Amino acid sequence: MIKINSDIRSELAIKGYECLSGTNISLSAPLLKSIVSFIVSYDNLQVDSYLEQQEKTAYRFRRYGAFCLDTVERKLTEFNKKIFTQSKNVNKIYGGIDRKFSPETDASIKNIFLKQLILADFNCLPLTKKLKGVKKWFVGFNKIRIRTNYHSLTHPTPEGIHCDGHYFVVQHFISRENIIGGISKIYDRKKKTLDQITFNNFLDSCFVDDKRVMHSVTPLKSDQNKDGFRDMLIIDFEPGCTNELN
């Protein structure tokens, strides 16, 4: 069981975002095995081949998966979406490109911790009357590892200040090792800084109303003369797995 001990829903409705420490997310002991398995799975991510030349060296690794969430039965079913697409309005670098990332493994799709985290996140969303009537939601999730070295800066968000083009986005921190930088920032639509946080603890998180605010991450660099990394889980929510809203 996962319980988020913060009034995310109210803060999201008021501000358009809310960041919280992972210490405010309670995890039951039976989830330990699936949590460890999920964290270890980041060692098996694949190169994000869409980054321009990967700055001549691979530094962003990811896998992509999706579910259809039945809000009545509170059930997540794997959704066979292989293409990740954003418009040019929200992503000036990769917008309009149908990107096909390495798919999630069966083990992660079936991971109990991941599924319970998605359900806990959904419970925090400030749904309007219209959205409350939507019985099925599309849920996409990206596992992303950014690798760093001592000799150059690494840019987690090469598109700069941006939004993702979804209704709601949740950023969950998983792990970091031997890095400096990586400050997550939240902005209003005029790109004025509203808040910033450096993720350090497991499940430090930001919940974002993607239609109201924007975000970015500052560059990373290894803290010592050896490689480092930063692991994130990004979950996005869209109403309707098919044409339910039309």
Side-chain angles (χ1 to χ4, degrees), residues 114-131:
L114 173 63
K115 290 186 173 183
Q116 289 199 12
L117 184 62
I118 289 172
L119 292 174
D121 287 348
F122 184 78
N123 287 341
C124 294
L125 304 183
L127 304 183
T128 63
K129 183 177 180 180
K130 180 180 179 181
L131 291 179

Side-chain angles (χ1 to χ4, degrees), residues 91-142:
N91 192 325
K92 60 185 179 182
I93 298 180
Y94 307 110
I97 300 173
D98 289 340
R99 289 182 284 173
K100 187 176 181 180
F101 300 123
S102 297
E104 258 308 341
T105 63
D106 289 341
S108 285
I109 292 293
K110 296 175 181 177
N111 188 279
I112 300 301
F113 160 70
L114 173 63
K115 290 186 173 183
Q116 289 199 12
L117 184 62
I118 289 172
L119 292 174
D121 287 348
F122 184 78
N123 287 341
C124 294
L125 304 183
L127 304 183
T128 63
K129 183 177 180 180
K130 180 180 179 181
L131 291 179
K132 287 179 180 178
V134 178
K135 295 181 175 57
K136 293 185 178 181
W137 282 67
F138 172 82
V139 182
F141 66 99
N142 282 275

Side-chain angles (χ1 to χ4, degrees), residues 31-63:
L31 288 177
L32 180 59
K33 184 177 180 179
S34 61
I35 291 172
V36 172
S37 175
F38 190 78
I39 294 173
V40 170
S41 72
Y42 278 75
D43 292 334
N44 191 33
L45 302 187
Q46 302 298 304
V47 173
D48 180 351
S49 60
Y50 292 93
L51 285 186
E52 186 175 352
Q53 297 182 348
Q54 280 271 26
E55 293 189 2
K56 298 182 180 180
T57 179
Y59 74 88
R60 186 156 79 181
F61 298 77
R62 72 196 298 165
R63 286 188 183 274

Side-chain angles (χ1 to χ4, degrees), residues 86-227:
Q86 294 174 302
S87 73
K88 292 183 178 180
N89 292 331
V90 301
N91 192 325
K92 60 185 179 182
I93 298 180
Y94 307 110
I97 300 173
D98 289 340
R99 289 182 284 173
K100 187 176 181 180
F101 300 123
S102 297
E104 258 308 341
T105 63
D106 289 341
S108 285
I109 292 293
K110 296 175 181 177
N111 188 279
I112 300 301
F113 160 70
L114 173 63
K115 290 186 173 183
Q116 289 199 12
L117 184 62
I118 289 172
L119 292 174
D121 287 348
F122 184 78
N123 287 341
C124 294
L125 304 183
L127 304 183
T128 63
K129 183 177 180 180
K130 180 180 179 181
L131 291 179
K132 287 179 180 178
V134 178
K135 295 181 175 57
K136 293 185 178 181
W137 282 67
F138 172 82
V139 182
F141 66 99
N142 282 275
K143 290 194 303 194
I144 301 174
R145 167 170 286 183
I146 303 295
R147 289 184 179 174
T148 64
N149 61 62
Y150 184 70
H151 303 289
S152 61
L153 291 175
T154 300
H155 298 274
T157 53
E159 59 268 54
I161 300 172
H162 67 287
C163 57
D164 290 340
H166 307 295
Y167 268 67
F168 299 101
V169 177
V170 186
Q171 307 166 359
H172 288 302
F173 172 76
I174 302 299
S175 180
R176 63 189 284 157
E177 182 176 307
N178 192 46
I179 62 170
I180 54 177
I183 301 172
S184 295
K185 295 188 174 185
I186 307 294
Y187 309 83
D188 64 18
R189 285 291 174 163
K190 295 182 179 180
K191 299 185 178 182
K192 176 184 177 181
T193 302
L194 299 174
D195 208 343
Q196 64 182 43
I197 179 173
T198 301
F199 295 140
N200 287 302
N201 303 305
F202 181 60
L203 291 186
D204 284 352
S205 306
C206 279
F207 288 70
V208 172
D209 183 336
D210 202 46
K211 296 186 177 299
R212 294 174 58 188
V213 299
M214 309 178 79
H215 58 274
S216 74
V217 183
T218 63
L220 305 171
K221 188 176 182 179
S222 293
D223 193 19
Q224 303 175 29
N225 193 19
K226 58 182 180 180
D227 293 346

